Amino acid sequence: MTTAELLKGAAELFPDEVVTSANVRHLDLPFGAGRFALITLDNGFDHTKPTTFGPASLANLDTAIDQVEREAAAGEIVGIGVTGKPFIFAVGADLKGVELLKKHEDALAIGKGGHEVFKRLSGLAVPTFAYYNGAAMGGGVEVGLHCSYRTVSAALPAFSLPEVFLGLVPGWGGCTILPNLIGADKAVSVIIENSLNQNKQLKGGQVYDLGIADALFEGADFLEQSLLWTAAVLKGEIAVERPEIDRGEAWDQAVARGRSVADSKVHGAAPAAYRALDIIAAAKDGDLQKGYDAEDVALADLIMGGELRSGIYAFNLVQKRGKRPAGAPDKSLARPVTKVGVVGAGLMASQLALLFLRRLEVPVVLTDIDQERVDKGVGYVHAEIDKLLLKGRVNKDKANRLKALVSGVLNKAEGFSDADFIIEAVFEEIGVKQQVFAEVEAVAPAHAILATNTSSLSVSEMASKLKNPERVVGFHFFNPVAILPLLEIVRGEQTDDASLATAFAVAKKLKKTAVLTKDAPAFVVNRILTRFMGEIQNVIDEGTPVDVAEKAIEPLGLPMSPLVLLELVGPAIGLHVSETLNRAFPDRFTVSPNLAAVVKAGKRGFYVYSAENGFKPELDPEVAALLQQGDVVLTEEQVRARVLDAVAQEIGLMLDEGVVAEAQDIDLCLITGAGWPFHLGGITPYLDREGVSERVTGKRFLEQGLASVPA
């Protein structure tokens, strides 16, 4: 079957593709270097809708290459360039088309189609150049890898091969060409390590430093400078030299390093990284076609697997649903926020003050019970701004302006009389929080939002003694505040639409992923994690060894084991949340006597770490001595089944109670608030895929085709 026939068949499966055109124009290069053909990839939209490659788009590029191939063969042009529309080069395959594929042979056609088109660029009679003028990802990076030379803009903000992050492999030449261009170790960093590190992006300068691009130019006149450089290369005035690639032991060591990175991140639970490493390992002999064939098969296998569908589902949740929160009131109801008050000046309150200051750039005032605490909180914010200045993230002017905007006072009336948004981050005890809100309500303007950062207490109860309970809203951040994107926005029983709309508008300015939740115990993330952790602690209390209980969860590929997570959260906080939920749901949430003993002993966790053991977690002998266990010992499989059944039951109950609008919101919360992996799709696609949902609740959480292969 010809490439054109392959792509025509694929295009019929994907009628709604946003089609990218490949426009050819001709220009005379400077210094009399000759006539040049420039192909511009453009989908006709501005930079907010990045250019992608679906089957019809690949066919357009194929047609453009037909034209320049004839011109090159006839001696009419001296070279060919590929670039993108303003701010965007191309961001790879159109994932909406991938989601529609139901058959292995259709998936194989997509891989082959991309290869057949792209590799033509390396087989033309004249040199080819890729000009990475803007964002380039996946297939966008790969089309450039097939060219003879590459330049990159210093202003380019995002360059990556994110496929492994989503559950794919770079399947249009990335796994094969990149290690042969820059060496296996650097390629493993780009393809495996960056991908599994929350899809870390490269900037233009880094792309050049890695040797992916041959020249780096400023963004303002990037194309002009690239064409001057192209002319010099074609005239022989610039010779591009690339380092010799080490195809010996260094190559094998790089692949081994990639496997240990994959093991540490996904624990063998998701196949994409390992498939990519197999292809990189096989690319050692430089046989490109063999590599392309392996990429085609891996791509097709993974497209028909659950992890990729979960990965695309998770990606869509974060990119789309996360930006348009379900159930949020009309944004026109939101009131302006020109000053923020923070009750408390401890670490959490200080982190919140810094975030509001940086994102809103309005006055932020902290209060606490004594001057020493207030000064410490303001000092923390100043020190963090100084760090940003040192790193070049803000200039001196901006740093001084931000510092001048933050202040601390003891008198709430003085601090909050003109604040529009006041958030409390004080001790997690309902009486304390009610007292704080009563004091704040007495001095704050009538329109001010009163927000609570509670992680598990009732927002309605907190507001119940106020004159205006309608302006109280839950605004629950996750620690560390600067890193985790989730913000659970909790609607109390009397919260009005204007207060809620203002909370969502503030969340957007804070660049947080906001999810609306009902005022239910522990909301979403802490309720699920507490049930999850509670079941782990139950099996330990009953008699299963700690290491067996921990290892049982490894196949999920979570970012850390349950007891390491407990250490991060803090055993005392974990115990407090489990007590709160035990009061609400005593039949399902237990309070572990062993956890209580660990907290009473003042231990920071179950583990100790030593240099001799490579800082791997080892059960603290003092904790081991505290543990009182029964004699029921479960296997890893039994532990895993019990934990997953408990989580599925809890999610089913939360959906029945209307804690969130849909299962998608639970997944969005776990991905953005607890770092659960994209290859799980959060949690519900995994529970569906493993048959747990139906076993426990009698039905799937998501319809077939959403986060799974269509029926």
Side-chain angles (χ1 to χ4, degrees), residues 194-401:
N194 289 358
S195 233
L196 292 178
N197 191 8
Q198 291 301 314
N199 191 20
K200 184 181 170 192
Q201 301 293 319
L202 297 168
K203 301 266 193 288
Q206 295 169 300
V207 174
Y208 173 68
D209 291 342
L210 282 165
I212 299 171
D214 304 304
L216 174 73
F217 299 114
E218 288 305 317
D221 56 353
F222 170 70
L223 190 57
E224 190 185 341
Q225 292 299 322
S226 292
L227 291 170
L228 285 167
W229 182 84
T230 298
V233 169
L234 290 171
K235 289 182 77 177
E237 291 163 7
I238 290 178
V240 173
E241 289 179 12
R242 299 197 180 117
E244 185 79 23
I245 299 301
D246 188 333
R247 298 182 185 282
E249 201 179 319
W251 194 291
D252 302 331
Q253 284 170 349
V255 172
R257 180 176 77 82
R259 290 194 197 284
S260 69
V261 168
D263 287 344
S264 73
K265 293 288 187 181
V266 299
H267 311 285
Y274 303 97
R275 292 295 291 264
L277 286 162
D278 289 344
I279 300 167
I280 294 169
K284 183 178 174 181
D285 62 6
D287 183 339
L288 296 183
Q289 189 53 53
K290 188 175 83 181
Y292 300 159
D293 293 342
E295 286 174 355
D296 287 341
V297 174
L299 211 54
D301 290 350
L302 292 166
I303 284 172
M304 299 317 292
E307 283 83 5
L308 169 70
R309 305 301 172 131
S310 295
I312 295 174
Y313 163 80
F315 185 77
N316 287 336
L317 287 182
V318 172
Q319 296 298 323
K320 294 174 186 167
R321 195 179 185 94
K323 291 178 172 60
R324 289 189 287 280
D330 190 319
K331 57 177 182 268
S332 67
L333 297 171
R335 294 190 287 262
V337 172
T338 59
K339 183 177 179 182
V340 173
V342 181
V343 187
L347 183 58
M348 190 67 179
S350 303
Q351 287 185 70
L352 296 182
L354 178 70
L355 180 70
F356 278 94
L357 184 68
R358 287 193 64 202
R359 297 282 186 240
L360 270 56
E361 295 191 24
V362 299
V364 175
V365 61
L366 295 116
T367 69
D368 212 315
I369 54 173
D370 60 53
Q371 194 63 44
E372 189 185 340
R373 291 176 202 223
V374 168
D375 292 344
K376 193 176 175 189
V378 173
Y380 169 87
V381 176
H382 281 201
E384 290 300 310
I385 292 167
D386 286 336
K387 285 182 197 166
L388 294 171
L389 179 63
L390 273 174
K391 289 178 185 164
R393 304 269 294 279
V394 295
N395 60 27
K396 190 93 174 87
D397 221 27
K398 176 93 173 265
N400 288 337
R401 199 166 74 250

Side-chain angles (χ1 to χ4, degrees), residues 378-674:
V378 173
Y380 169 87
V381 176
H382 281 201
E384 290 300 310
I385 292 167
D386 286 336
K387 285 182 197 166
L388 294 171
L389 179 63
L390 273 174
K391 289 178 185 164
R393 304 269 294 279
V394 295
N395 60 27
K396 190 93 174 87
D397 221 27
K398 176 93 173 265
N400 288 337
R401 199 166 74 250
L402 289 175
K403 282 184 183 178
L405 284 170
V406 66
S407 60
V409 294
L410 284 175
N411 185 328
K412 291 188 179 70
E414 184 190 334
F416 298 159
S417 63
D418 57 348
D420 307 300
F421 191 100
I422 300 160
I423 184 165
E424 70 73 25
V426 299
F427 186 65
E428 192 75 348
E429 207 279 310
I430 194 76
V432 175
K433 291 188 187 276
Q434 283 176 333
Q435 184 192 337
V436 161
F437 270 160
E439 291 169 8
V440 170
E441 187 180 48
V443 298
H447 69 272
I449 304 297
L450 307 183
T452 169
N453 183 46
T454 182
S455 57
S456 60
L457 300 175
S458 167
V459 174
S460 305
E461 194 181 341
M462 224 174 280
S464 62
K465 297 182 179 177
L466 299 180
K467 291 191 212 60
N468 299 106
E470 70 279 357
R471 57 177 170 157
V472 176
V473 64
F475 214 63
H476 178 221
F477 290 88
F478 289 78
N479 216 349
V481 170
I483 294 169
L484 289 174
L486 180 64
L487 185 51
E488 289 177 339
I489 295 186
V490 186
R491 182 171 206 150
E493 283 166 21
Q494 290 179 276
T495 309
D496 63 19
D497 281 356
S499 301
L500 206 57
T502 306
F504 275 100
V506 169
K508 190 169 186 179
K509 283 187 178 160
L510 294 175
K511 298 188 177 171
K512 291 294 179 187
T513 300
V515 174
L516 178 63
T517 101
K518 188 176 158 184
D519 186 17
F523 317 125
V524 180
V525 173
N526 284 341
R527 180 162 163 185
I528 291 170
L529 289 186
T530 304
R531 186 77 200 273
F532 172 81
M533 303 280 286
E535 215 49 56
I536 294 281
Q537 279 158 344
N538 287 343
V539 300
I540 292 171
D541 293 352
E542 289 164 18
T544 298
V546 169
D547 63 324
V548 174
E550 287 268 80
K551 278 173 88 171
I553 305 304
E554 278 187 3
L556 274 75
L558 297 179
M560 60 189 77
S561 75
L563 293 182
V564 172
L565 173 65
L566 180 69
E567 206 167 288
L568 186 73
V569 170
I573 292 171
L575 180 65
H576 174 76
V577 178
S578 70
E579 287 168 344
T580 302
L581 282 158
N582 171 254
R583 283 193 294 275
F585 310 115
D587 56 323
R588 302 193 309 280
F589 286 86
T590 52
V591 178
S592 163
N594 282 321
L595 177 59
V598 167
V599 172
K600 190 177 175 189
K603 300 304 264 175
R604 295 186 58 187
F606 276 63
Y607 293 128
V608 286
Y609 302 84
S610 63
E612 303 91 81
N613 193 33
F615 295 102
K616 289 190 183 128
E618 284 180 288
L619 188 61
D620 182 340
E622 291 178 19
V623 170
L626 290 172
L627 294 182
Q628 295 194 350
Q629 293 180 280
D631 54 8
V632 178
V633 179
L634 301 183
T635 65
E636 286 177 27
E637 290 74 19
Q638 288 169 322
V639 172
R640 188 161 57 249
R642 214 169 114 175
V643 170
L644 292 175
D645 283 6
V647 169
Q649 182 195 28
E650 204 57 40
I651 290 170
L653 291 165
M654 288 166 74
L655 293 171
D656 291 345
E657 289 167 29
V659 174
V660 288
E662 292 180 288
Q664 286 94 314
D665 292 314
I666 283 176
D667 292 321
L668 182 58
C669 284
L670 285 172
I671 292 162
T672 56

